[in-house]
Amino acid sequence: MTYSVAVSGASGYAGGEILRLLAAHPDIEIRTVTAHSNAGQRLIEHQPHLRSLAHLELQETTPEILAGHDIVFLALPHGQSGQYTDALGDVPLIIDAGADHRLESVADWDRFYGGSFHDPWTYGVPELPFRGGKQRERLVGATRIAAPGCNASTVSLSLAPGVAAGVIDPSDIVSVLAVGPSGAGKSLKPHLLGSELLGTANPYAVGGVHRHIPEIRQALAAARVPGSATGDEAADRGIRISFTPVLVPMARGILATSSAPIAEGVTDADIRGAWEAAYGDETFVQLLPEGSFPRTADVLGANTALMGLAIDRAANRVVVVTAVDNLVKGTAGAAIQSMNIALGLPEDRALTVNGVAP
């Protein structure tokens, strides 16, 4: 069966990456691409690397144009997807790459985003530990999927095995991330100009204000306890994180260094065993051999999350270093992997573990 697809926000980074991966998917027909200010222009003018899609023209983003497809991908700025999802009830499968359907807590949405709150959808991180199983199980047959925030999924995948197994104390998590500016989207902003980024590293959203924090807490709480835990509930159960992203001069990539205290009475074998048990059979999340740590260059263009784990007994902390391509495993790849699972297709269809080098 061939599925017809519409991609909104097709002139942006996330939309372009969704299209790049879908273009190689044998079960997908990319029928419609939409935009806002760029509507009426050829897609190739904004995504010149997508040569196989040069025939497509960007249309207006309206419910009428998006309707009538088997699958709709929404790659819109945060807070803009909900106005369309409310009107697309007849579309069999919708995947939102924005934040509108990620959070379960109204209070968290109001604090970190603001505007209209929309119901949470199935979270699109298949490998993430969830209530004794994996998020993958919830994606089978799903009709509404919330693709993850790239920073959030990277940190959550890094630490969820330890939280689920009880080998780390999640009350004192610290995560510092080196991130590329493509995660901020394609809009022109002075602090994202090349002259402002080259030769420097710039921290932002410091001090507990980054929008991905409640998403991380929500994911880790669900990994640890039966039932849903969100917002203040997660804090009450001891999920606390200090999260600091730092913009660095690489177009793509996230290198997340996350640490948490070791739980009392836990052995080194218990710790490494938790991550091996969680990801030993996974294709796209891979734990590197002891003493090895990933580089962002190793995941460029791939749907992989590579992680290295260290046990720092002097500080009594577990340290996990994880590298992802923020536009692939962090966004578009996770969305398409989740789509494949929902439709009953091979999970790795149109996705690769191989990066691009040099």
Side-chain angles (χ1 to χ4, degrees), residues 18 28 33 67 133 152 192 261 281:
I18 290 169
I28 294 297
V33 291
L192 299 180
D281 295 330

Side-chain angles (χ1 to χ4, degrees), residues 11 14 38 52 59 67 96 111 119 123 128 141 150 191-192 214 226 229 246 257 296-297 305 310 334 352-353:
S11 59
N38 296 318
S52 68
Q59 301 183 52
D96 184 12
R111 177 183 173 190
D119 289 340
Y123 196 47
L128 193 66
C150 53
H191 73 287
L192 299 180
V246 181
T257 301
T296 55
T352 181
V353 297

Side-chain angles (χ1 to χ4, degrees), residues 115-338:
S116 299
F117 176 81
H118 296 275
D119 289 340
W121 290 354
T122 306
Y123 196 47
V125 186
E127 304 90 350
L128 193 66
F130 181 86
R131 301 181 194 175
K134 291 287 184 73
Q135 187 69 20
R136 175 181 289 110
E137 298 154 15
R138 301 180 71 218
L139 287 163
V140 176
T143 62
R144 299 292 184 268
I145 297 171
C150 53
N151 296 317
S153 62
T154 305
V155 174
S156 297
L157 286 168
S158 297
L159 296 175
V163 173
V167 299
I168 63 173
D169 174 3
S171 69
D172 183 20
I173 295 169
V174 177
S175 292
V176 179
L177 291 74
V179 302
S182 59
K186 212 171 185 179
S187 299
L188 293 177
K189 300 171 184 176
H191 73 287
L192 299 180
L193 295 174
S195 57
E196 301 292 335
L197 282 172
L198 296 177
T200 186
N202 306 314
Y204 67 99
V206 179
V209 297
H210 194 283
R211 289 174 166 180
H212 287 176
I213 289 173
E215 188 178 337
I216 296 167
R217 292 166 60 212
Q218 177 175 293
L220 294 182
R224 189 180 64 160
V225 297
S228 176
T230 63
D232 290 338
E233 293 179 49
D236 291 343
R237 293 187 173 116
I239 308 290
R240 295 182 178 85
I241 179 169
S242 172
F243 175 91
T244 306
V246 181
L247 281 174
V248 296
M250 59 182 180
R252 293 171 177 246
I254 296 172
L255 188 71
T257 301
S258 303
S259 74
I262 299 169
E264 186 176 353
V266 171
T267 67
D268 289 9
D270 293 334
I271 294 168
R272 189 164 186 89
W275 273 261
E276 290 173 343
Y279 300 137
D281 295 330
E282 293 291 351
T283 299
F284 294 119
V285 180
Q286 300 181 15
L287 178 66
L288 299 180
E290 189 170 353
S292 297
F293 297 91
R295 311 174 303 169
T296 55
D298 301 330
V299 296
L300 183 65
N303 192 50
T304 45
L306 300 181
M307 62 182 65
L309 184 149
I311 301 169
D312 184 350
R313 283 292 177 179
N316 195 45
R317 297 183 76 87
V318 174
V319 181
V320 182
V321 180
T322 303
V324 305
D325 183 325
N326 59 292
L327 291 178
V328 188
K329 186 57 176 167
T331 305
I336 291 167
Q337 185 181 349
S338 298

